[in-house]
Each structure stands twice: as C-alpha cells, then as structure tokens.
Amino acid sequence: GGGRAREDLFIVFQTWKNILNKKGHSHLGLLKKVAKQLRPHFLATHNAFDLCDLALWVRDWGDSKLALELWEDAKKTNQHDQCVREDWERWESGPRGQLDDLRAFLRL
C-alpha cells in the first residue's frame, strides 16, 4: 500500500541523498517532490531529524515556504531531536529558552 511505497521511497532517498546534494540547486524540483512524498512517512514515524534536515536543505536551495512547513513539522514532532536543537537558532531567531523546553516537554 501507500505506507510501503513511502518506506521504499525513504530507502531510495537515503541511498541517493549524497548524489542529489551534489547535483545542486538545479534539482530543487526533484528535492521538493521527494520531500512532499516523504513528509507523511516522516510524520507517521515521528522522524523529526529528517524533517529538520530536509527543511534546511530545501531552504538552502531556495524554497522557504516548503522549508518552513517542514521545520514546523520537525519542531512539533520532537523539539528534543538533535537536528531540531542544533538548528533552532537558524529558524527561531534566538536560542531555545526554558519556556521552549517546557513547551517541548508538555508537547504544546
């Protein structure tokens, strides 16, 4: 079904990630297509790391709207995730505060 197809796409994505990255900005359309197809899988599997990683990659390649959506998904999925913590200041215009940690703990 659809879930298995997304899992397969994720395996292919992991394999081709470095190759796609080397291709550069001219392949933004392909990156966006893959990101949109993998997004439901990442959400269903609570994969904040790859949502966060994709968000920065898509933003760096020029699509800030989709990037922000992916970042918000990553943040909502797990604010304690390594990528989310490391990239917080890039997205949120400042360091994480105690209130952010409380919100993450309470899943707000």
Side-chain angles (χ1 to χ4, degrees):
R4 183 69 210 161
R6 282 193 295 271
E7 290 173 19
D8 292 342
L9 179 62
F10 178 65
I11 292 167
V12 170
F13 171 71
Q14 289 297 99
T15 303
W16 286 91
K17 190 174 180 179
N18 290 335
I19 294 169
L20 182 60
N21 197 27
K22 289 178 185 175
K23 297 273 185 192
H25 297 77
S26 64
H27 287 79
L28 174 61
L30 178 59
L31 177 60
K32 287 170 47 174
K33 181 178 180 179
V34 170
K36 288 177 183 177
Q37 290 179 350
L38 284 173
R39 187 177 180 186
H41 174 71
F42 291 154
L43 290 168
T45 58
H46 309 285
N47 188 340
F49 184 89
D50 283 310
L51 284 164
C52 173
D53 191 40
L54 265 177
L56 191 57
W57 191 4
V58 168
R59 186 178 81 175
D60 287 348
W61 279 21
D63 188 333
S64 56
K65 182 178 184 273
L66 177 58
L68 184 58
E69 292 172 10
L70 293 166
W71 167 249
E72 291 295 329
D73 287 342
K75 211 170 51 167
K76 289 176 188 169
T77 300
N78 183 356
Q79 287 190 16
H80 296 289
D81 174 80
Q82 176 186 351
C83 181
V84 173
R85 287 190 328 252
E86 290 175 0
D87 288 0
W88 188 270
E89 288 189 51
R90 294 179 186 176
W91 293 95
E92 299 296 325
S93 67
R96 285 174 54 105
Q98 289 179 341
L99 185 57
D100 296 311
D101 289 336
L102 180 61
R103 283 186 183 129
F105 178 75
L106 297 174
R107 295 192 176 260
L108 299 175

